[in-house]
Amino acid sequence: MNDVVTESADGERTKSLFSHWVLWESCIVAWKNIYVVLVIGLIFAVVGTFDLYVTALNALALSNGEAAPLGPVAMTIFWVVRGAVNSILLAVLMYAVHSTVLDDCSSWAVFAGDGKSKLKKLAFRIVTALMVLFLVALLFQVVLALMGFKAGDRIEGGAGVIVMGGATFFAISFGILSVWFITWPASAIWSDNATLRQAFYRGKKVFWYVLGRNVMVLPVMAVLQLVIAAIFLPVVTAVFGAKDQADVASKFFFPGFVFSISALNSVLFVSWFVVLSVIISRALKLGDARLQNAQA
């Protein structure tokens, strides 16, 4: 199935044709980079296992009235390290996908030659974007704190309406901005228009393409999530259906259980970002073409 994008310029309508539909292209790209995908997925699963284990261990200790094994400082360091590792893994995965779609180069070969320096450029921009996301979320928490709300508070009445309305408006606005600037990281390598300003102009040209393709693949990702949930539901029921907390803890902290949860989350995460990277690659190519047409 082809992916057809209709253009309109000077009163004439033309069609830009991608050789494969987004999902099929994503499958092809994932297969070409299968070893990269498997390694990245495995590392994501291992990191997620440790994250689940540490978080659950702290929660269990607090529920028993004991001191958390890892205090606030240790947890902060842990979250920073985990965020850095995940950002690097994400950059490697997206670089491999972008290289396959835009350069027709795949697997470990993409890191040969000047590949490492290009990866650093992409990683820097991805980390910068994630830092902005983190700071925005932190700002939202600060605003709530200044309004007198604390973690665990129930927000009701007029204050609840204001907070929920503000959060909704904020989320929608941030989502729109994210789509506008979504090609900025990849443009550092694969575009002559690599500035933030040009990314904004490009994003406006491909806004509906990016949004539309993401909406179209959501049902498929939802089905994948349901299949994984159906496979894993009996195991979860057996663990959390135990009679007492000690039994639940002993089963939950069994390494195979925690790792299996992380592995399934890793499958969903990696699958989604392969598809998203393909959409971004096409948006970059399509956006640059539309910018050139507009300037001609």
Side-chain angles (χ1 to χ4, degrees), residues 24 92 135:
W24 183 238
V92 172
L135 292 175

Side-chain angles (χ1 to χ4, degrees), residues 94-164:
M94 297 187 77
Y95 179 74
V97 174
H98 289 326
S99 296
T100 303
V101 176
L102 299 172
D103 289 337
D104 197 24
C105 182
S106 56
S107 195
W108 302 115
V110 302
F111 305 106
D114 61 347
K116 293 180 180 178
S117 61
K118 291 180 178 179
L119 174 60
K120 289 179 181 178
K121 291 181 181 179
L122 181 65
F124 174 77
R125 291 200 171 190
I126 289 177
V127 171
T128 301
L130 292 177
M131 284 298 298
V132 170
L133 179 62
F134 172 77
L135 292 175
V136 168
L138 183 62
L139 176 63
F140 185 72
Q141 294 295 326
V142 170
V143 171
L144 288 179
L146 292 176
M147 293 175 65
F149 297 111
K150 301 185 297 294
D153 286 350
R154 295 183 62 182
I155 305 176
E156 300 175 341
V161 173
I162 294 174
V163 171
M164 290 302 298

Side-chain angles (χ1 to χ4, degrees), residues 23-106:
L23 285 175
W24 183 238
E25 177 81 5
S26 300
C27 293
I28 295 173
V29 169
W31 178 251
K32 288 182 177 180
N33 295 281
I34 188 62
Y35 296 114
V36 176
V37 170
L38 289 176
V39 170
I40 295 298
L42 179 60
I43 299 175
F44 268 128
V46 171
V47 173
T49 298
F50 189 64
D51 183 18
L52 271 175
Y53 187 84
V54 169
T55 304
L57 195 63
N58 272 9
L60 183 62
L62 293 174
S63 67
N64 291 331
E66 303 171 356
L70 292 180
V73 175
M75 285 301 296
T76 300
I77 295 173
F78 169 73
W79 281 102
V80 170
V81 172
R82 196 201 73 157
V85 172
N86 285 346
S87 298
I88 294 172
L89 294 175
L90 184 60
V92 172
L93 178 63
M94 297 187 77
Y95 179 74
V97 174
H98 289 326
S99 296
T100 303
V101 176
L102 299 172
D103 289 337
D104 197 24
C105 182
S106 56

Side-chain angles (χ1 to χ4, degrees), residues 18 101-102 183 202 280-290:
F18 293 108
V101 176
L102 299 172
T183 61
R202 187 189 304 110
I280 293 173
S281 298
R282 291 185 170 193
L284 179 62
K285 183 184 295 186
L286 186 62
D288 278 343
R290 288 177 176 178

